[in-house]
Amino acid sequence: ARHPMNEKQASLAEEHAGRGAPLKLWCGTWNMHAAIVGAQLEASQLTHWIASGHDVYCVATQEAERSIIKSVLCSAKPRWEATLLSFFEIHGHEDDEYALVATQDLGAVNVALIVRRELLRHLSRVQTAKVCAGHFGGLLNNKGAAAIACHIGKGSFLFVSAHLAPHAKAVRCRDWQFEMIDRNLHAYLMARPSWLPPGLWCVCQAPIDGPTVSARFNRVFFMGDLNYRVDLGKDEVQRLTMPTAEDLARSGCSSRAEYDRAALKRLLSADQQTQRRTAPTRAGFSEAAIQFWPTYKFDRKSGYSKYKLQHRNRLKATLRLPSWTDRVLFRSAESGAIAPLSYDACTAATLRVSDHRPVSATFLVQVSMLATHATSVAVELSERPRWGNALRCCDASLGLLRLAAKPRRAQGALLPASEDAGGTRLDPMARMQLSDEGEGSGQVADGRSLRPT
């Protein structure tokens, strides 16, 4: 069951309703722990997680179909994407209620963007990108992010699915990965000459102190297995999450509900993302109030119904304290443009196929729509890189080259410039930039009509 909106959220929603026609947006993230799609998970089971009746859906997953190790070699997720198409009943027909705009994957990370079909006329400038942030200084794709950017009306949107480093002590590593993703996505979503490999372009365009992608878009939704943990001892966490009858009697609480409220408050007081000034917080990201129990880690032997505090592999046993590793963050360039409506974890028994709980958040997003022609303007999906695995290591932008390279533009500028006899002019590819000028045209700058796939 989802928690009702509090009074502040309800009043904000009413304010939005009076300002126009806001979009109802659903964002969800789930580390699927290599659940077997089709055997352990079917499309019909997703009804417990993905709520109906929204205009825009962003579905972010980690470890879908296969484990991280296997996904490093094969990142495609056709069965999971087919399951999403089946759930939304997308058949590529004109009478479909929803349409798949784009998908992107990186290793075990996947993100899919789905919208109501009538919104396609307001949709333009769709781009996808991915950034490695894993082992060997960010060269391996075992960690990183996949992203989809687009314009809806006059608003620019960015949806990011990320998987960051594990373990409680790796806060600085997670912060570094977030900042790396935030900078490098900015470079990948800029206009790039077709002959230049994406990795080399990112080396030149993503200096350490350069602009970030989260500051470039009006509305940004950053979600995934961010792996921020709870900084408490094992014994205390065990008492809070799995109390015995003796623990309840010693607490002095009059009921189990009162004990649970106090336990949840204590756990949140030690949450790294909430209490520390982490990289997402420094970048201006917000989060709705958490009113659900930690989403990780659940024990397979209990049918993923009880927490597991210790993980043992072939070498040693490590602590895996229950934590809110799965988060949905948001950032808006305009005050009050995004109103969070709900934020919850799915506890349905039919979805207990992973040691993580699926998390979802719903928003009311204010967007100005421009008048368009009666005929729908379809979307041209961005072309995936054609450079193959040989250049995959370039996706993370080699650290030494980034330090040595000088930025080709002043800090804050979005587009590179090229010289001709008439002086400085924008590169022809710069016309594809995501700016607020000429929003809602439904066409790329050279006049080509956007075609569906």
Side-chain angles (χ1 to χ4, degrees):
R2 297 189 178 279
H3 297 284
M5 294 185 300
N6 57 36
E7 294 181 1
K8 181 178 179 181
Q9 291 172 335
S11 63
L12 188 55
E14 292 175 1
E15 178 185 351
H16 274 287
R19 289 168 54 187
L23 294 176
K24 294 178 65 178
L25 188 145
W26 183 98
C27 291
T29 178
W30 188 15
N31 185 320
M32 300 174 66
H33 196 52
I36 302 174
V37 180
Q40 295 176 287
L41 184 66
E42 297 180 353
S44 59
Q45 297 171 244
L46 298 179
T47 55
H48 299 286
W49 174 39
I50 304 178
S52 60
H54 292 80
D55 302 309
V56 179
Y57 288 87
C58 178
V59 185
T61 58
Q62 305 81 43
E63 301 183 42
E65 293 196 25
R66 59 185 69 86
S67 66
I68 293 179
I69 295 176
K70 294 180 180 179
S71 297
V72 168
L73 302 176
C74 178
S75 61
K77 298 166 182 62
R79 288 179 295 175
W80 168 243
E81 293 177 2
T83 301
L84 284 180
L85 294 178
S86 175
F87 175 79
F88 285 99
E89 298 181 349
I90 299 175
H91 308 290
H93 302 153
E94 289 294 331
D95 57 350
D96 289 347
E97 183 179 4
Y98 291 95
L100 176 64
V101 176
T103 64
Q104 179 62 285
D105 52 69
L106 170 80
V109 179
N110 179 269
V111 62
L113 182 63
I114 297 165
V115 303
R116 286 193 187 275
R117 197 163 189 87
E118 55 263 30
L119 278 179
L120 290 180
R121 67 182 64 190
H122 301 288
L123 199 67
S124 62
R125 303 173 188 180
V126 178
Q127 293 176 288
T128 63
K130 54 188 177 181
V131 173
C132 295
H135 293 311
F136 308 112
L139 296 181
L140 200 61
N141 65 356
N142 63 308
K143 293 292 186 287
I148 299 174
C150 68
H151 276 61
I152 303 177
K154 294 186 69 175
S156 57
F157 287 74
L158 177 66
F159 302 93
V160 183
S161 171
H163 196 180
L164 305 184
H167 306 306
K169 296 181 179 180
V171 178
R172 293 182 62 184
C173 181
R174 286 188 284 273
D175 286 350
W176 172 80
Q177 288 175 330
F178 176 90
E179 292 169 350
M180 180 180 186
I181 291 168
D182 206 10
R183 288 193 311 269
N184 288 357
L185 275 180
H186 179 275
Y188 277 110
L189 293 173
M190 289 171 55
R192 170 178 61 85
S194 59
W195 52 267
L196 188 64
L200 295 182
W201 172 252
C202 194
V203 167
C204 301
Q205 296 297 328
I208 291 178
D209 58 347
T212 61
V213 73
S214 59
R216 173 182 171 186
F217 289 85
N218 300 141
R219 294 152 184 85
V220 182
F221 299 88
F222 196 102
M223 67 208 82
D225 185 358
L226 306 188
N227 261 320
Y228 288 102
R229 304 300 175 96
V230 169
D231 283 328
L232 290 176
K234 176 185 175 182
D235 294 339
E236 183 176 4
V237 172
Q238 186 167 4
R239 287 196 304 270
L240 295 172
T241 57
M242 296 179 289
T244 63
E246 184 180 354
D247 293 331
L248 294 174
R250 194 166 40 229
S251 68
C253 296
S254 59
S255 65
R256 177 61 188 267
E258 183 182 352
Y259 182 91
D260 288 345
R261 287 193 295 270
L264 189 63
K265 183 177 180 180
R266 172 58 178 152
L267 289 169
L268 283 170
S269 69
D271 174 57
Q272 293 175 345
Q273 169 60 23
T274 305
Q275 301 302 322
R276 296 193 185 189
R277 188 167 172 77
T278 59
T281 304
R282 294 195 298 269
F285 280 87
S286 303
E287 185 178 20
I290 294 178
Q291 301 176 12
F292 50 89
W293 287 94
T295 59
Y296 171 86
K297 171 180 177 71
F298 291 89
D299 189 4
R300 180 175 58 86
K301 294 181 180 179
S302 67
Y304 297 114
S305 61
K306 297 181 180 179
Y307 289 111
K308 182 179 182 180
L309 276 67
Q310 195 172 55
H311 173 75
R312 181 177 296 276
N313 58 24
R314 296 178 181 178
L315 299 178
K316 61 179 180 179
T318 56
L319 286 178
R320 293 287 194 275
L321 298 182
S323 301
W324 290 276
T325 58
D326 310 278
R327 317 294 276 255
V328 178
L329 312 179
F330 62 93
R331 184 184 190 275
S332 174
E334 306 164 16
S335 176
I338 301 176
L341 301 181
S342 67
Y343 192 29
D344 204 3
C346 178
T347 59
T350 55
L351 290 181
R352 291 179 182 176
V353 295
S354 167
D355 56 355
H356 290 253
R357 291 281 189 260
V359 173
S360 63
T362 60
F363 304 92
L364 212 57
V365 184
Q366 193 69 32
V367 179
S368 298
M369 298 293 185
L370 292 182
T372 58
H373 298 293
T375 56
S376 294
V377 179
V379 181
E380 178 187 29
L381 301 185
S382 60
E383 188 179 57
R384 298 201 176 195
R386 295 172 292 178
W387 290 87
N389 295 333
L391 289 173
R392 179 172 292 175
C393 62
C394 293
D395 284 350
S397 301
L398 300 177
L400 293 177
L401 291 177
R402 191 194 301 116
L403 289 173
K406 295 182 179 180
R408 295 174 56 187
R409 45 149 169 67
Q411 181 172 343
L414 291 182
L415 296 164
S418 58
E419 298 292 334
D420 63 5
T424 303
R425 61 178 178 84
L426 289 179
D427 187 275
M429 289 296 292
R431 295 176 297 174
M432 290 290 290
Q433 66 169 314
L434 302 182
S435 66
D436 288 334
E437 299 179 4
E439 303 285 357
S441 63
Q443 294 185 337
V444 293
D446 61 2
R448 288 182 291 113
S449 184
L450 300 176
R451 304 299 306 165
T453 56

